[in-house]
Amino acid sequence: TGVIILSQAYPLYLAKQAASSDVLSKGRLMLGLGIGWLQEEFVAMGVPFERRGARFDDYVVAMRKVWSGDVVEHESAFLHWHGFKSHPLPAQMARAGATGQAPGVPIVMGGSKGRIFDRIALHGDGWYAPMGTPDELAAALAELGRACARIGRDPATIEITAMLPPNATLDAVKRMEAAGAHRLTAMPRMAGGSPADAIKRLGDELLAKL
């Protein structure tokens, strides 16, 4: 679980890889994308740190075109794509229209700073929220709701994935759900001790009771 820093990647390769992964997994791929904040990473990747947000926005739009099945035409400050189609198409294309999902695989955006809420409202199928408490999550979702209202989007169309706090109780899980989380990701290595023991505890003390 996590995100790929899209601004550092070449979006045509990533779109092709994501589509193939979605086909091989029979439509189970969720593509986590982030903008990035560490300038040294961008220097190491040979990608300008400046305008990384604009590059991210442009890449998302362009990747959706690759997944559409139509002839791709995309001319921007960052990309010059013309006159081609891409195959295979994502397996989730068939149900995208029925669910309101944009073409291709679901894009889950990570982050909590800058214009992330506006970007989620415009481009995201989901948000990977780095919040560890119900109060933090509820406050952030209120901000996301305001971003959706500004463009007339229903915030209920955005799936929320949050982190399960280490050593969480069943009550904590329920409170995260009440705050607005649809999915919680567990990170056993953060609980201390053996990851195998943490996974067993997760199954015995939480999953078995849900």
Side-chain angles (χ1 to χ4, degrees), residues 91-116:
Q92 297 184 69
M93 281 292 296
R95 62 174 179 266
T99 62
Q101 176 188 315
V105 301
I107 289 179
V108 182
M109 296 187 181
S112 60
K113 299 183 184 301
R115 295 184 54 241
I116 188 60

Side-chain angles (χ1 to χ4, degrees), residues 167-190:
N167 303 312
T169 64
L170 182 61
D171 180 64
V173 171
K174 291 181 177 179
R175 285 189 287 114
M176 290 294 281
E177 180 183 19
H182 300 106
R183 176 187 296 101
L184 296 176
T185 60
M187 303 180 71
R189 64 181 175 82
M190 294 182 63

Side-chain angles (χ1 to χ4, degrees), residues 88-161:
L89 296 180
Q92 297 184 69
M93 281 292 296
R95 62 174 179 266
T99 62
Q101 176 188 315
V105 301
I107 289 179
V108 182
M109 296 187 181
S112 60
K113 299 183 184 301
R115 295 184 54 241
I116 188 60
F117 296 113
D118 292 321
R119 289 192 165 95
I120 295 166
L122 281 170
H123 303 300
D125 299 297
W127 178 38
Y128 187 29
M131 277 75 191
T133 71
D135 289 343
E136 290 172 346
L137 180 61
L141 288 180
E143 190 169 349
L144 177 58
R146 289 190 287 271
C148 288
R150 286 193 288 272
I151 64 168
R153 181 174 181 182
D154 181 358
T157 61
I158 300 171
E159 189 176 55
I160 307 302
T161 300

Side-chain angles (χ1 to χ4, degrees), residues 57-119:
D57 294 342
D58 186 57
Y59 283 8
V60 170
V61 172
M63 289 170 65
R64 298 274 196 204
K65 292 179 181 179
V66 172
W67 294 330
S68 71
D70 298 329
V71 174
V72 175
E73 294 291 338
H74 188 87
E75 180 71 27
S76 70
F78 307 104
L79 300 170
H80 314 282
W81 294 352
H82 300 285
F84 68 88
K85 291 185 179 182
S86 178
H87 295 278
L89 296 180
Q92 297 184 69
M93 281 292 296
R95 62 174 179 266
T99 62
Q101 176 188 315
V105 301
I107 289 179
V108 182
M109 296 187 181
S112 60
K113 299 183 184 301
R115 295 184 54 241
I116 188 60
F117 296 113
D118 292 321
R119 289 192 165 95

